[in-house]
Amino acid sequence: TMHMARSRLVGRLLRCSIAAPSRRFSFFNKPLEVIQLGNPVLRQKASAIPQNQIDTEATQKLIQGMLASLNDSKQAASGLAAPQVAESVRLFVLSKHCFDNSDGDLVVLNPKILKKSPKLEIQPEGCLSVPNYIGLVARSTEIEVEFLNGEGQRMSAKLSDYAARVFQHEYDHLDGITYLDRLRNMRDLFTESEFYRQQEKLAGQS
């Protein structure tokens, strides 16, 4: 999961439609439990989901459970990866708030990052699997990606800014990587309370 509280960055989804999960199945959308750092599933390389398994009840139930977790008011998350709910498959969901002019959350299966811009930007990131901490992480500001949506359709997209950052954060989860592994050093890691204390102090000086 990724959250970037109080960020003003806006991501742009240039070539991609937002697709809802299959309507063939109806589930009670109960949020799923998010596992924490130390659980071995978070360090596994997730397996691809065969295309003929996307429209099965099991996969669609997982997708809808993840969307419920993503939109749980207690979580305040921008994205959630399947390994974070103890399912080691290549699937994540991104909040509609990552994108301009989007009317739905994005379901991403078997993603590939085809190209990354050489330009990097350091911004704060948090994660529900690493609660109460925020780290400063350098990531590419623009990426080109391919993936399957929740209905098994092949999609391509160019993402920038916040959307690109969240996509890269969730993609890392599929390879057993957390944002902690991307820190330049431990001085870039803060407790949430200390991070916001420093931000408020800086805001008061400006």
Side-chain angles (χ1 to χ4, degrees), residues 2 4 9 113 116-126 134-143 161-162 164-169 172 177-185 188-190:
M2 177 174 161
M4 287 184 59
L9 290 178
I113 297 180
K116 292 183 178 182
S117 68
K119 180 182 177 181
L120 302 178
E121 188 171 61
I122 298 172
Q123 289 288 341
E125 295 185 14
I134 289 177
L136 301 179
V137 182
R139 294 195 191 271
S140 295
T141 57
E142 295 182 346
I143 58 175
D161 301 325
Y162 188 45
R165 177 170 293 273
V166 179
F167 195 103
Q168 291 171 84
H169 178 110
D172 274 352
I177 298 169
T178 74
Y179 80 84
L180 298 175
D181 303 310
R182 299 292 188 188
L183 298 176
R184 295 169 300 176
N185 55 64
D188 287 338
L189 185 65
F190 302 80

Side-chain angles (χ1 to χ4, degrees), residues 113-160:
I113 297 180
L114 305 177
K115 186 182 295 186
K116 292 183 178 182
S117 68
K119 180 182 177 181
L120 302 178
E121 188 171 61
I122 298 172
Q123 289 288 341
E125 295 185 14
C127 183
L128 294 180
S129 292
V130 189
N132 306 316
Y133 285 90
I134 289 177
L136 301 179
V137 182
R139 294 195 191 271
S140 295
T141 57
E142 295 182 346
I143 58 175
E144 295 182 15
V145 301
E146 287 183 351
F147 58 93
L148 302 178
N149 67 12
E151 296 177 339
Q153 300 168 327
R154 189 166 300 279
M155 314 296 294
S156 63
K158 293 182 179 180
L159 305 178
S160 63

Side-chain angles (χ1 to χ4, degrees), residues 33-52:
E33 180 182 358
V34 176
I35 63 176
Q36 304 293 297
L37 187 68
N39 189 305
V41 177
L42 289 174
R43 292 305 189 177
Q44 294 173 5
K45 186 175 179 66
S47 301
I49 300 175
Q51 190 159 3
N52 62 6

Side-chain angles (χ1 to χ4, degrees), residues 34-119:
V34 176
I35 63 176
Q36 304 293 297
L37 187 68
N39 189 305
V41 177
L42 289 174
R43 292 305 189 177
Q44 294 173 5
K45 186 175 179 66
S47 301
I49 300 175
Q51 190 159 3
N52 62 6
Q53 295 295 310
I54 292 175
D55 199 36
T56 62
E57 182 174 353
T59 301
Q60 292 300 316
K61 185 176 182 180
L62 174 59
I63 290 172
Q64 293 196 29
M66 289 175 63
L67 290 171
S69 300
L70 182 70
N71 292 296
D72 183 0
S73 60
K74 300 176 183 177
Q75 313 262 26
S78 297
L80 181 70
Q84 293 182 271
V85 293
E87 294 289 343
S88 190
V89 294
R90 301 189 77 78
L91 160 66
F92 59 78
V93 293
L94 302 181
S95 170
K96 61 185 177 183
H97 302 299
C98 295
F99 310 107
D100 290 341
N101 305 316
S102 172
D103 58 0
D105 301 319
L106 182 65
V107 178
V108 176
L109 297 99
N110 301 340
K112 296 179 181 178
I113 297 180
L114 305 177
K115 186 182 295 186
K116 292 183 178 182
S117 68
K119 180 182 177 181

